[in-house]
């Protein structure tokens, strides 16, 4: 049973009382939310294709997003993210509840899931070949990921955290809504006006933020792991022409290790996980000026090669 098959009022009641058990990405999650109408509605819309978890299934992450009690709940209300009694973030204005939920779920995975090497990178797949798109904030990886998924027909594996299985070396899909910021929101909205996305939340720590719904096919194929074929480091530079240039595997290795959340924790296992990718993957640097259609054509050629 998926979330959309549960009436909204029933889902809202569960979310605000005992919590809703739902598969978010690849993780069984118990979600409890404050009764904020916009938060409940947007959560329901964004995750409408996600599976509901059976009552006796193991829960990976029990999380809650609750208003600060007392006077604060009426005057400039604030919201807290809670995981097993831990509150890793400072309270934020209640209007930022949905971005906080997404950031909190990323924190849960990056800090507590060590069966995989976790790299700060988007990752997509087509024709059985995965492309990993690492990048620092502002590099344009999420924009590029969203464009290739919604324009180029690529399968979304993750827009933020690439999970590499330590045994098989394959990417483990973790499809969730794509978080876009600032001008990237308008770019994708103009290219794909039919894709549902949440209301734009302004003045967050990352600027203006909106979440774009993951494609239903990507959500349904969450258990289909895939091999990495390419590692491409994107950079969005508005006044520089499109360029795809080869990158040495040694430099790519160092960059992936630097952008891994748990490389130092995994030690030798983390080293071997990256080394295995370097044996099989071709590495490139990509600069682009925002022309996502042009990038989609080149990525299609790479996938077919």
């Amino acid at each position: 049973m998926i979330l959309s098959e549960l009436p909204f009022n029933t889902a809202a009641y569960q979310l605000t009382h005992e919590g809703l058990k739902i598969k978010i990405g690849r993780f069984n999650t118990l979600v409890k939310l404050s009764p904020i109408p916009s938060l409940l509605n947007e959560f329901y819309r964004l995750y409408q294709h996600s599976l509901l978890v059976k009552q006796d299934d193991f829960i990976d992450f029990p999380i809650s997003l609750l208003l600060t009690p007392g006077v604060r709940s009426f005057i400039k209300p604030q919201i807290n993210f809670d995981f097993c009694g831990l509150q890793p973030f400072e309270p934020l204005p209640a209007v930022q509840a949905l971005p906080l939920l997404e950031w909190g779920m990323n924190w849960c995975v990056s800090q507590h899931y060590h069966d995989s090497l976790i790299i700060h990178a988007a990752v997509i797949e087509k024709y059985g070949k995965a492309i990993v798109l690492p990048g620092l904030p502002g590099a344009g990886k999420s924009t590029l990921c969203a464009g290739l998924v919604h324009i180029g027909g690529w399968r979304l594996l993750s827009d933020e955290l690439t999970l590499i299985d330590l045994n098989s070396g394959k990417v483990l899909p973790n499809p969730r809504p794509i978080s876009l910021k600032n001008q990237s929101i308008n770019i994708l909205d103009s290219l794909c006006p039919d894709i549902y996305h949440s209301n734009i939340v302004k003045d967050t720590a990352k600027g203006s933020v909106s979440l774009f719904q993951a494609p239903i096919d990507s959500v349904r194929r969450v258990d289909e792991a895939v091999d990495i074929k390419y590692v491409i480091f994107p950079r969005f530079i508005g006044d520089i022409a499109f360029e795809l240039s080869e990158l040495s595997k040694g430099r790519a290795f160092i960059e992936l290790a630097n952008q891994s959340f748990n490389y130092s924790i995994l030690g030798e296992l983390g080293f071997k996980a990256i080394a295995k990718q370097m044996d099989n993957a071709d590495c490139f640097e990509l600069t682009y000026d925002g022309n996502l259609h042009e990038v989609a054509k080149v990525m299609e050629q790479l996938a077919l090669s």
Side-chain angles (χ1 to χ4, degrees):
M1 183 179 186
I2 62 174
L3 180 56
S4 63
E5 295 173 334
L6 191 68
F8 172 76
N9 289 340
T10 303
Y13 181 88
Q14 292 186 20
L15 282 166
T16 56
H17 288 77
E18 70 272 18
L20 181 72
K21 293 182 177 181
I22 184 171
K23 193 177 184 72
I24 293 184
R26 67 180 305 101
F27 299 100
N28 292 347
T29 309
L30 175 64
V31 183
K32 187 174 182 179
L33 303 176
S34 278
I36 303 173
S38 59
L39 174 62
L40 296 171
N41 180 65
E42 291 186 325
F43 180 89
Y44 187 84
R45 292 284 304 277
L46 286 170
Y47 286 100
Q48 62 180 305
H49 306 309
S50 297
L51 285 172
L52 297 179
V53 177
K54 296 178 181 178
Q55 194 63 31
D56 56 351
D57 281 353
F58 178 79
I59 295 296
D60 296 294
F61 301 123
I63 60 176
S64 61
L65 203 62
L66 302 175
L67 289 168
T68 301
V71 176
R72 264 294 184 188
S73 62
F74 300 98
I75 303 175
K76 295 183 178 180
Q78 292 184 325
I79 200 88
N80 288 282
F81 178 87
D82 184 282
F83 167 69
C84 294
L86 299 174
Q87 296 184 353
F89 308 104
E90 292 294 324
L92 292 180
V95 295
Q96 298 183 20
L98 191 62
L100 177 59
L101 181 64
E102 295 298 317
W103 298 335
M105 288 190 286
N106 284 336
W107 177 87
C108 285
V109 176
S110 63
Q111 298 299 310
H112 299 281
Y113 181 69
H114 300 307
D115 291 338
S116 298
L117 180 71
I118 306 173
I119 298 173
H120 182 211
V123 58
I124 56 178
E125 176 269 333
K126 200 170 189 180
Y127 310 128
K129 301 172 184 178
I131 296 181
V132 176
L133 301 166
L136 297 173
K141 65 176 175 55
S142 291
T143 309
L144 183 58
C145 171
L148 292 172
V149 167
H150 291 298
I151 295 173
W154 290 71
R155 176 163 67 115
L156 174 66
L157 305 183
S158 176
D159 84 308
E160 188 71 18
L161 303 176
T162 295
L163 310 180
I164 300 177
D165 184 71
L166 297 178
N167 295 316
S168 68
K170 293 178 180 288
V171 174
L172 301 178
N174 187 38
R176 286 176 29 206
I178 299 175
S179 178
L180 294 183
K181 301 179 289 293
N182 304 317
Q183 69 267 28
S184 297
I185 300 170
N186 293 331
I187 290 173
L188 193 66
D189 201 20
S190 63
L191 292 173
C192 308
D194 295 332
I195 304 300
Y196 173 76
H197 66 89
S198 64
N199 291 325
I200 298 173
V201 180
K202 299 180 179 180
D203 301 322
T204 77
K206 299 184 179 183
S208 296
V209 176
S210 181
L211 296 161
F212 284 71
Q213 186 180 57
I216 184 171
D217 179 67
S218 299
V219 175
R220 287 176 174 172
R221 298 172 62 190
V222 67
D223 294 323
E224 296 181 24
V226 65
D227 290 312
I228 295 174
K229 176 59 179 175
Y230 298 103
V231 178
I232 300 177
F233 293 81
R235 286 190 303 159
F236 169 74
I237 304 177
D239 56 352
I240 292 184
F242 177 92
E243 182 180 3
L244 185 69
S245 56
E246 288 191 33
L247 181 69
S248 72
K249 293 191 176 187
R251 184 178 166 193
F253 185 107
I254 293 172
E255 291 295 332
L256 290 178
N258 287 338
Q259 295 192 40
S260 169
F261 288 95
N262 60 349
Y263 179 79
S264 59
I265 294 173
L266 294 173
E268 184 179 355
L269 291 174
F271 178 90
K272 289 181 177 179
I274 296 181
K276 187 179 294 185
Q277 307 315 313
M278 294 300 98
D279 288 339
N280 302 315
D282 296 321
C283 306
F284 297 92
E285 287 184 312
L286 166 70
T287 57
Y288 73 105
D289 61 0
N291 187 336
L292 294 175
H293 287 287
E294 181 179 17
V295 180
K297 290 179 182 178
V298 174
M299 294 301 184
E300 180 75 13
Q301 293 172 359
L302 283 177
L304 290 171
S305 63

